[in-house]
Amino acid sequence: MSKLKNTPEIIIDIGDVSGEYYAAPLFQNAEIWRISENGSFTYRFNIPVAKTFDCKEKYFFELLTNKSDCRNGYYDLVKAEMDSLTKPDLPLCNSFVVQRLAKYIPQGSSLHHAVSNTKRNMNFQEFDDSIDISCNIGVCGIDGAVSTVVGQSLVADNKKVFGIVGDLAFFYDMNALGQKDISNNLRIILINNNRGVEFRLNPGLENTIGEKTDQLIAAHGHNKGGAKGWAESCGFCYLTADSKQTFDAQINRFCNDDFDKPVLFEVFTNAEDEKLGLKLMQTHNRKKGR
Ligand SMILES: Cc1ncc(C[n+]2csc(CCOP(=O)(O)OP(=O)(O)O)c2C)c(N)n1
Ligand SMILES: [Mg+2]
C-alpha cells in the first residue's frame, strides 16, 4: 500500500484504533483532517492534525459530497492502480486462507477476525459488500475474538457467523466454545502456526534475536495437540487441513454446506510459509516498478 504512486494530499481520518502499520508512509506527505464526533483530539503516527471537524461523520460527508467539485479524479487514479495489481501464488498461510474465504463465504453472512497478523491479511482482500466484517480490537492482543464471535452467533438471526483467529487468540479464549446455546450457524477457522507468528514477522525482532523469538516471545509450542479434542467435546464438528490441497478440498463445504453442529476448521501452517506469504503479498507487485 505504501508503494502506491498516487499518494494523497489530504487524508480524512475517522474512527478509533487502527493496526494498519503499513499505512504510515501515506500519512507523511498529506494534510490530515480529523473528524471528531466526541470532541477528542486524536492523531496517528505522531503526525499533527491540520484541521479538526467537531461534528458527526454523516454531516461532514453530506456537506462534502453536495459540493459538485469534490470529485477530482483521485479515486479513479487509485482505483486504476489497484485494479492493475496481480495476486502472487501463495503457500498455505494466513493470506491464502483469507483469499479463499473471500471467495467462498456466502453473501449476507458475518465475519469476525482477530487482530495483528490475521487483521493485516484481511486487509489485503476484498470481500463482498453484503458481508458484515468486524474485529474486536480489545487491547490489540489475543483477548476476546473467540468469545465475541460466539456472542455474535447467538444473536444473529438466520445468518451464518464466521470467525478467523490465530492459535494464540484461540487457545486464550477457547472457553467460549462451551457456551451451551451455540448453534450450527457458527463457523470458526483457526490458523494454527504453533506460535504467535506476528513476532516472527517483525523485522526488528527477526534481525536481532531471530529464532530465539519463538522461545522468548512467540510462545512457540504452547499447545501440543491442536484443538480437536476441545472442539469435539464442546459439540463442534471438527475439520482440519495441513496443505493447500486438503484446505481447498474442504473450504467450500465449510462455508456453504449445512451442518447440524457448529464447525471448527483448524488449518495448520508454519512460520516459514507465513513469512513467505507476507513477503509475497508485500513485494509481488513491486516488480512492475511500484
Ligand atoms: C509485545 C507484545 N505483546 C503482546 C502483543 C499482543 N499480541 C498481538 S498478536 C499476538 C500473537 C497472536 O498470535 P496468534 O493468535 O497465534 O496469531 P498469529 O500471529 O500466529 O497469526 C499477541 C500476543 C503484542 N502485540 N505485542
Ligand atoms: Mg499463531
Side-chain angles (χ1 to χ4, degrees), residues 240-253:
T240 184
D242 61 1
S243 67
K244 281 165 64 165
Q245 290 72 21
T246 49
F247 179 79
D248 275 340
Q250 297 177 86
I251 183 67
N252 188 11
R253 174 172 174 242

Side-chain angles (χ1 to χ4, degrees), residues 94 117 166-169 191-198 222 274:
N94 259 265
N117 188 36
D167 47 309
L168 258 59
I191 302 182
N192 189 345
N193 44 42
N194 200 18
R195 53 172 71 73
V197 87
E198 173 67 3
H222 66 112
E274 291 287 0

Side-chain angles (χ1 to χ4, degrees), residues 8-286:
E9 290 165 14
I10 296 174
I11 289 181
I12 300 168
D13 185 0
I14 60 177
D16 288 307
V17 181
S18 166
E20 189 39 84
Y21 316 123
Y22 294 96
L26 284 183
F27 279 61
Q28 302 295 331
N29 300 318
E31 181 174 311
I32 314 298
W33 295 3
R34 169 80 189 168
I35 306 176
S36 172
E37 288 205 347
N38 60 7
S40 71
F41 293 94
T42 309
Y43 58 92
R44 299 183 200 271
F45 307 119
N46 284 329
I47 297 177
V49 171
K51 294 188 172 70
T52 296
F53 296 83
D54 187 3
C55 63
K56 296 271 178 218
E57 288 162 13
K58 187 166 182 289
Y59 177 74
F60 178 92
F61 286 108
E62 266 167 11
L63 283 186
L64 187 73
T65 48
N66 283 342
K67 291 227 175 250
S68 57
D69 59 353
C70 79
R71 283 193 69 124
N72 61 4
Y74 181 69
Y75 173 82
D76 299 327
L77 270 179
V78 174
K79 176 89 171 48
E81 199 174 337
M82 298 296 288
D83 288 348
S84 74
L85 302 180
T86 56
K87 289 181 180 159
D89 183 22
L90 295 168
L92 184 65
C93 63
N94 259 265
S95 233
F96 178 86
V97 170
V98 174
Q99 235 177 53
R100 292 294 195 270
L101 191 60
K103 181 170 172 198
Y104 287 106
I105 190 168
Q107 293 196 342
S109 44
S110 283
L111 172 58
H112 191 95
H113 61 84
V115 300
S116 290
N117 188 36
T118 315
K119 175 173 55 56
R120 178 181 308 118
N121 285 291
M122 285 288 299
N123 280 343
F124 287 140
Q125 298 304 324
E126 292 275 347
F127 279 78
D128 189 86
D129 283 348
S130 69
I131 319 268
D132 168 26
I133 301 180
S134 59
C135 172
N136 177 357
I137 287 283
V139 290
C140 272
I142 53 180
D143 50 324
V146 179
S147 35
T148 305
V149 73
V150 165
Q152 285 181 328
S153 78
L154 297 179
V155 295
D157 288 330
N158 299 323
K159 226 185 199 201
K160 286 200 180 97
V161 177
F162 291 82
I164 177 164
V165 298
D167 47 309
L168 258 59
F170 179 83
F171 289 111
Y172 179 92
D173 199 11
M174 66 185 205
N175 263 357
L177 263 57
Q179 216 285 351
K180 67 183 171 50
D181 294 317
I182 292 177
S183 68
N184 62 350
N185 67 336
L186 175 62
R187 309 206 171 174
I188 298 176
I189 295 189
L190 154 59
I191 302 182
N192 189 345
N193 44 42
N194 200 18
R195 53 172 71 73
V197 87
E198 173 67 3
F199 303 108
R200 299 300 312 270
L201 301 172
N202 177 323
L205 290 172
E206 207 55 14
N207 295 335
T208 50
I209 58 173
E211 291 271 322
K212 284 192 190 147
T213 305
D214 270 349
Q215 188 201 341
L216 298 174
I217 300 174
H220 175 232
H222 66 112
N223 189 286
K224 306 280 181 285
K228 183 172 194 287
W230 180 242
E232 288 181 345
S233 76
C234 291
F236 277 61
C237 170
Y238 177 82
L239 306 177
T240 184
D242 61 1
S243 67
K244 281 165 64 165
Q245 290 72 21
T246 49
F247 179 79
D248 275 340
Q250 297 177 86
I251 183 67
N252 188 11
R253 174 172 174 242
F254 168 78
C255 288
N256 293 297
D257 275 18
D258 287 330
F259 288 83
D260 57 1
K261 299 171 172 182
V263 187
L264 182 79
F265 190 3
E266 183 168 26
V267 183
F268 289 96
T269 69
N270 61 58
E272 290 315 310
D273 284 345
E274 291 287 0
K275 280 193 222 172
L276 176 62
L278 180 59
K279 189 172 170 204
L280 285 168
M281 290 307 293
Q282 291 176 330
T283 59
H284 176 69
N285 282 286
R286 285 189 199 164

